[in-house]
Each structure stands twice: as C-alpha cells, then as structure tokens.
Amino acid sequence: LPLLAMAGGPQELAAVTASLKDRDEEAPLAALRALADWPNDVALEALWAVVKAPPAPAQKILALRGYASVLSRPNPARKPAETLALFKNALEAAEREDEKRQVLAGIANVYHPDAWVLLKSLGADKALAKEADLAWQKLKKALDSPPAFYASHNERNIKKALDKDPSTRWDSGAKQVPGMWFMADFRFER
C-alpha cells in the first residue's frame, strides 16, 4: 500500500480505499497510513470519511493524523482560507490533546490572518496554551515578514530585483525559454 501512495493516482486511491473495508484488522490501518502519505489532496475525502464515522477508535486517530498531514502539504490550488476551514473542521473532530496539537501545528503554516486570530484564541485553552502560543508566534513572524522571491534561474542574483537601484536588475542569466519563472510569495492574499 505505501507504494500505491507514492503513485498517488485515482486507480491507486481506489485500491487503497477498498482496503479500508477489509475484515483483517491490519489492512485498514495500513490503508490509513498510506492515505496519510498521499502526495496530494485526493486522499482528504477518504480520510475525512473515516474521521466522521470510524469503525474503530484507532482508525479515527490515524485518519485524523493523516488528514492533518495531507492538509499541511502545500497545494497552490487550495486557497489559505479553504485550508483554514478544513483545519477548523479537524480541530472540532479532534478529541485528544495530541490530535489537537498536530492540527495546531498545521494551522501555523496557513498564511492567513484568520489563522493568526484562531491560534490566538486557542491560547485560552490551558491544555493547548503553550503549543497555541508557539504556533501563533511562528505564524505571526511569517505574516509580518517581507515577501520572499524565487526564480527558476539565476536565483543567486535575485536581490538585484529588490535593491531599489535602477542601475541594477535581475535577469535569468540565459536566453528565456518556456518554463522559466520568477515568483513572489507574499505569504497570504493581500
């Protein structure tokens, strides 16, 4: 099953989710571990279904951990507000403190001002106060930091694009071809 997760396609997903219904005790657990390692969001639905209606407590724990893990992976197609809403659902479903801590860690990577507000409010929970505060500080630092810039080529000279000196400029260092890019990461939609 772990090899199927590496492929990450729809046929592999069907095979893994079929293992969730296996009567053998270990097969559903192995399937949940494979879904937790899924390289993209297609595993979220199957993991959430187990979280909402777990056949056994251990399966809910693994499914929720997997859900938080998959949700924590960057996905440019998923907006930060959507990611935050999904994490809020996971936080509501989390019953144990360790599950809540894992969700908190994921929320700290959602670069959205509402995530910052949520983490700040979770600091009132005595059991989670320390982790919520650390997550809040991490997110606040990221939200307050200047944009990050990346380039597919000649990244070492990227500072020339930002130095406010009209006599310098960044270039790719090569003839432009399809696939070259320059990216500004503003951390969240502004």
Side-chain angles (χ1 to χ4, degrees):
L1 292 177
L3 294 176
L4 295 175
M6 289 172 57
Q11 293 170 330
E12 292 83 6
L13 180 65
V16 172
T17 55
S19 295
L20 290 171
K21 297 176 180 133
D22 198 303
R23 292 178 189 254
D24 175 40
E25 283 184 32
E26 288 302 315
L29 298 177
L32 288 168
R33 287 185 193 99
L35 289 170
D37 288 336
W38 215 261
N40 53 49
D41 281 6
V42 298
L44 287 174
E45 188 177 328
L47 288 163
W48 188 247
V50 175
V51 169
K52 294 308 284 179
Q59 289 185 24
K60 179 179 180 180
I61 293 166
L62 277 177
L64 188 58
R65 287 179 182 170
Y67 185 82
S69 177
V70 172
L71 199 51
S72 294
R73 294 190 187 106
N75 180 347
R78 189 180 351 102
K79 302 249 184 223
E82 180 186 353
T83 302
L84 181 59
L86 295 171
F87 268 123
K88 283 181 180 179
N89 292 340
L91 194 57
E92 289 173 13
E95 297 171 0
R96 299 164 16 130
E97 287 181 24
D98 62 323
E99 295 166 349
K100 291 177 183 180
R101 285 185 186 103
Q102 184 174 9
V103 174
L104 282 175
I107 294 171
N109 294 314
V110 179
Y111 299 141
H112 193 280
D114 291 344
W116 182 81
V117 172
L118 174 63
L119 290 170
K120 189 69 174 166
S121 71
L122 290 170
D125 182 336
K126 290 194 186 314
L128 301 174
K130 182 179 179 183
E131 289 81 5
D133 186 55
L134 289 172
W136 177 82
Q137 288 178 28
K138 176 184 175 185
L139 182 59
K140 183 173 180 350
K141 183 177 178 181
L143 291 175
D144 289 345
S145 67
F149 295 88
Y150 308 93
S152 61
H153 293 73
N154 202 19
E155 193 169 275
R156 64 182 161 78
N157 284 332
I158 211 161
K159 63 183 175 278
K160 289 182 179 179
L162 311 168
D163 64 6
K164 298 181 183 179
D165 182 349
S167 66
T168 64
R169 66 181 177 84
W170 170 86
D171 63 33
S172 64
K175 183 178 176 181
Q176 192 164 359
V177 296
M180 288 182 162
W181 51 266
F182 184 92
M183 180 177 80
D185 180 358
F186 290 93
R187 310 287 189 233
F188 66 97
E189 294 177 15
R190 298 178 191 245

